[in-house]
């Protein structure tokens, strides 16, 4: 029974397109996060949501927007994709010890 | 500006020996520290944590040590097992619950 799931696992798309990555957690956590792991393996927080309110918003381009329809879901929408957006994106939930999803490898061509 | 650093990108250890993974941080406001383990094509998995009010936390074969004056923490795995081969990330959080991760150390345990 997967605790944090995200779809799709792989996403290949062209520059300029708009795409979404979905995330769901069944742990009952109030806080969910999106992380980006770049080519240097640096894992950096992008957003976190606590009870459907954005509480951390790192200096990411406004082409990225998190959407939380309910406490169990935090989706990531990306507009006008650029080559530099290619990375692995991880969803996570939990206040202190975080539980991560399997990651979505996004490739922008 | 990387506030959490893991200066050793890789480490190889013989099975049964001790593995020591190191992590340094720069922000004295960090009050909670964690270690995560990551296998290829999977998300990081929480391993062990320590609060800034402690200097040691132990869970089975895993022990985390915190030296606040040196802004340094380490993860000891003893005895090391081949299944421990993975990338290990340290992370730290501040009072605002913002998390900062290191770049990871790839551990290989040789049978």
């Amino acid at each position: 029974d997967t605790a944090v799931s995200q779809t799709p696992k792989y996403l290949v798309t062209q520059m300029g397109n708009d795409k979404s990555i979905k995330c769901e957690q069944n742990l009952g956590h109030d806080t969910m996060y999106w992380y980006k792991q770049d080519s240097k393996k640096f894992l950096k927080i992008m957003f976190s949501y606590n009870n459907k309110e954005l509480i951390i918003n790192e200096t990411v381009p406004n082409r990225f927007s998190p959407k939380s329809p309910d406490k169990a879901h935090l989706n990531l929408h990306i507009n006008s994709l650029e080559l530099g957006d290619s990375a692995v994106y991880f969803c996570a939930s939990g206040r202190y010890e975080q539980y991560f999803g399997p990651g979505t490898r996004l490739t922008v061509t | 500006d990387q506030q959490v650093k893991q200066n050793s990108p890789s480490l190889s250890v013989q099975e049964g020996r001790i593995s020591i993974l190191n992590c340094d941080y720069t922000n004295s406001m960090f009050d909670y520290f964690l270690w995560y383990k990551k296998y290829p094509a999977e998300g990081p998995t929480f391993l062990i944590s320590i609060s800034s009010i402690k200097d040691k936390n132990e869970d089975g074969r895993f022990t985390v040590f915190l030296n606040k004056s040196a802004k340094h923490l380490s993860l000891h795995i003893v005895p090391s097992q081949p299944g421990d081969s993975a990338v290990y990330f340290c992370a730290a959080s501040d009072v605002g619950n913002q998390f900062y991760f290191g770049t990871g150390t790839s551990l290989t345990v040789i049978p």
Side-chain angles (χ1 to χ4, degrees):
Chain A
D1 196 18
T2 305
V4 182
S5 60
Q6 40 182 125
T7 55
K9 192 168 178 64
Y10 299 96
L11 183 55
V12 181
T13 187
Q14 292 184 328
M15 287 175 55
N17 284 348
D18 303 336
K19 291 294 179 183
S20 295
I21 306 172
K22 295 185 177 181
C23 177
E24 177 181 2
Q25 56 99 0
N26 60 9
L27 299 167
H29 291 152
D30 289 332
T31 309
M32 296 182 70
Y33 307 81
W34 276 105
Y35 286 87
K36 177 181 180 181
Q37 186 178 36
D38 59 23
S39 57
K40 295 181 179 179
K41 308 300 182 186
F42 187 38
L43 197 64
K44 186 172 182 179
I45 191 168
M46 300 177 70
F47 302 103
S48 76
Y49 254 70
N50 188 327
N51 284 329
K52 297 179 67 175
E53 291 187 27
L54 182 67
I55 58 172
I56 301 174
N57 187 346
E58 281 294 300
T59 55
V60 299
N62 57 14
R63 298 181 294 104
F64 291 79
S65 56
K67 295 283 194 292
S68 180
D70 55 57
K71 195 174 82 167
H73 295 84
L74 182 64
N75 303 325
L76 183 65
H77 298 268
I78 315 170
N79 295 325
S80 302
L81 277 156
E82 300 177 357
L83 292 175
D85 297 332
S86 295
V88 181
Y89 293 83
F90 289 100
C91 173
S93 73
R95 178 99 172 122
Y96 295 107
E97 293 86 29
Q98 294 174 19
Y99 294 79
F100 283 79
T104 296
R105 181 173 293 278
L106 171 65
T107 303
V108 182
T109 61
Chain B
D1 180 25
Q2 201 171 331
Q3 299 191 48
V4 177
K5 298 178 183 180
Q6 294 175 257
N7 293 318
S8 298
S10 63
L11 175 68
S12 291
V13 173
Q14 288 285 340
E15 181 179 4
R17 298 290 186 95
I18 184 171
S19 295
I20 300 176
L21 297 98
N22 294 304
C23 180
D24 297 295
Y25 61 95
T26 57
N27 190 341
S28 58
M29 298 303 292
F30 287 149
D31 60 356
Y32 198 68
F33 304 87
L34 311 94
W35 283 95
Y36 287 85
K37 177 179 179 180
K38 185 183 181 303
Y39 292 117
E42 295 183 9
T45 302
F46 169 73
L47 196 56
I48 192 169
S49 63
I50 188 168
S51 165
S52 60
I53 63 173
K54 294 185 175 182
D55 55 17
K56 177 182 175 182
N57 188 27
E58 190 172 352
D59 183 2
R61 297 185 297 113
F62 302 92
T63 303
V64 56
F65 294 92
L66 176 62
N67 183 334
K68 289 187 289 294
S69 60
K71 294 190 180 67
H72 177 84
L73 69 156
S74 60
L75 174 68
H76 292 210
I77 306 173
V78 55
S80 301
Q81 298 174 355
D84 296 329
S85 297
V87 177
Y88 289 80
F89 290 93
C90 69
S93 71
D94 56 21
V95 292
N97 205 44
Q98 185 167 357
F99 288 85
Y100 299 84
F101 281 76
T103 50
T105 296
S106 179
L107 173 66
T108 302
V109 179
I110 304 165

